[in-house]
């Protein structure tokens, strides 16, 4: 029962991103053409709310369900890794019209076809693992 | 469990919460996408001729799904984060390297949108 909370959060996440049209290929195209405020408004308001939430978590020393202190940092330093890795991600984002989270939402929304995109993504992460030691970071 | 929930959420949304699947994208985007060969942009969540199950084994659909997915997966591991990790959580945490990664997202996205997609759609 402890894990039901993750299921509920996932369902809410899936519904909110679907209804916000974040999973729409067209919305991503519109964003990369700078032709609407829609995606910038969604991401921008998420950042504003995120700043407030993270400050709240840090100042109240909020703990997770296991009782561990919540830490947020995901970054790894390095211009090559972030700029080249980010560019490769962006190339893919403009093709699929979806980043990793929405790929799973799209399986529920559109159907099994998007399992192929997830298969491609898993192949991509695997390939990175194989070539990691040869890449600039 | 979270991922299972996400898929269920997408299913609930499309089957019970969205009677009208059209997406009100800007007229400029409709014109641009029509010009590179997308039929009826915005009439559904995504272009059926590319992502619909009836055309899935065409070269174009496989390139979009497998090829696009590959770049997303590779780039996410390389940069150590995606839209939520860097653009939202990272920028919310005021992380310099996340800003660099987001700059990369847009370099890649703009290159693909303007130079790659017109070719890929014509496959």
């Amino acid at each position: 029962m402890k894990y039901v909370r993750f299921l509920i959060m996932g369902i809410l996440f899936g519904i909110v991103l679907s209804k916000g049209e974040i999973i729409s290929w067209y919305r991503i195209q519109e964003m990369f053409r700078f032709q609407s405020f829609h995606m910038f408004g969604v991401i921008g308001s998420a950042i504003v709310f995120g700043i407030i939430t993270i400050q709240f978590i840090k100042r109240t020393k909020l703990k997770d369900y296991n009782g561990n202190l919540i830490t947020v940092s995901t970054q790894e330093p390095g211009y090559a890794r972030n700029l080249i890795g980010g560019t490769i991600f962006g190339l893919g984002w403009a093709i699929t019209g979806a980043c990793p989270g929405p790929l799973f939402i799209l399986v529920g929304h559109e159907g099994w076809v998007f399992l192929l995109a997830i298969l491609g993504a898993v192949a991509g992460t695997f390939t990175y693992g194989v070539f990691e030691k040869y890449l600039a970071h | 469990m979270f991922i299972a929930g996400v898929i269920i959420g997408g299913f609930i949304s499309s089957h019970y919460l969205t009677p009208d699947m059209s997406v009100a994208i800007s007229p400029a985007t409709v014109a641009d996408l029509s010009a590179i060969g997308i039929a009826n942009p915005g009439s559904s969540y995504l272009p059926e001729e590319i992502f619909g199950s009836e055309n899935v084994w065409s070269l174009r659909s496989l390139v979009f799904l497998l090829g696009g997915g590959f770049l997303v997966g590779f780039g996410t591991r390389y940069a150590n984060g995606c839209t939520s990790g860097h653009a939202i959580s990272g920028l919310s945490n005021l992380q310099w390297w996340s800003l660099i990664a987001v700059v990369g997202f847009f370099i890649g996205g703009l290159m693909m949108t303007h130079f790659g997609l017109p070719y890929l759609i014509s496959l």
Side-chain angles (χ1 to χ4, degrees):
Chain A
M1 286 308 286
K2 189 174 172 181
Y3 297 102
V4 170
R5 69 184 82 189
F6 296 111
L7 187 70
I8 294 169
M9 289 305 291
I11 292 172
L12 290 175
F13 183 79
I15 291 175
V16 169
L17 267 69
S18 302
K19 291 301 294 175
E21 298 176 350
I22 311 310
I23 60 166
S24 167
W25 187 86
Y26 293 118
R27 285 292 184 198
I28 305 301
Q29 272 300 298
E30 193 182 50
M31 172 184 76
F32 280 133
R33 293 166 191 273
F34 301 104
Q35 288 166 336
S36 166
F37 180 68
H38 187 95
M39 288 297 296
F40 298 99
V42 170
I43 295 175
S45 57
I47 292 171
V48 171
F49 190 68
I51 291 173
I52 297 168
T53 310
I54 288 173
Q55 288 304 319
F56 176 78
I57 290 171
K58 284 181 174 172
R59 283 166 201 218
T60 58
K61 298 193 171 19
L62 210 62
K63 298 199 171 53
D64 67 14
Y65 72 106
N66 280 328
N68 300 318
L69 211 59
I70 299 175
T71 53
V72 183
S73 179
T74 57
Q75 66 179 353
E76 293 279 349
Y79 281 99
R81 143 194 296 261
N82 286 290
L83 209 53
I84 301 171
T87 301
I88 294 170
F89 173 82
L91 291 168
W93 194 12
I95 297 177
T96 58
C99 39
L103 283 181
F104 288 96
I105 303 177
L106 282 165
V107 172
H109 201 274
E110 299 291 325
W112 65 271
V113 166
F114 278 88
L115 290 173
L116 291 176
I118 293 170
L119 183 69
V122 171
T125 60
F126 181 79
T127 307
Y128 171 82
V130 171
F131 292 102
E132 186 174 10
K133 54 182 176 290
Y134 305 110
L135 296 169
H137 292 88
Chain B
M1 283 299 269
F2 183 76
I3 286 178
V6 164
I7 296 172
I8 295 168
F11 183 86
I12 293 172
S13 178
S14 72
H15 285 76
Y16 305 111
L17 300 176
T18 316
D20 177 7
M21 283 292 198
S22 66
V23 178
I25 51 172
S26 92
T29 311
V30 173
D32 284 357
L33 293 176
S34 297
I36 57 173
I38 302 280
N40 306 315
S43 59
S44 57
Y45 265 51
L46 29 81
E48 285 300 319
E49 63 263 46
I50 297 172
F51 297 107
S53 55
E54 61 278 10
N55 303 318
V56 66
W57 304 114
S58 68
L59 174 66
R60 179 170 69 175
S61 295
L62 290 175
V63 166
F64 270 77
L65 290 162
L66 290 171
F70 184 91
L71 292 171
V72 166
F74 191 94
T76 301
R77 278 289 282 115
Y78 199 167
N80 213 45
C82 57
T83 321
S84 67
H86 276 311
I88 295 177
S89 304
L91 293 183
S92 295
N93 201 28
L94 311 176
Q95 296 176 172
W96 169 252
W97 296 111
S98 292
L99 183 62
I100 300 297
V102 172
V103 169
F105 296 171
F106 271 81
I107 293 172
L110 290 171
M111 289 195 319
M112 183 53 69
T113 296
H114 293 286
F115 305 117
L117 276 185
Y119 171 73
L120 292 180
I121 286 171
S122 71
L123 282 175

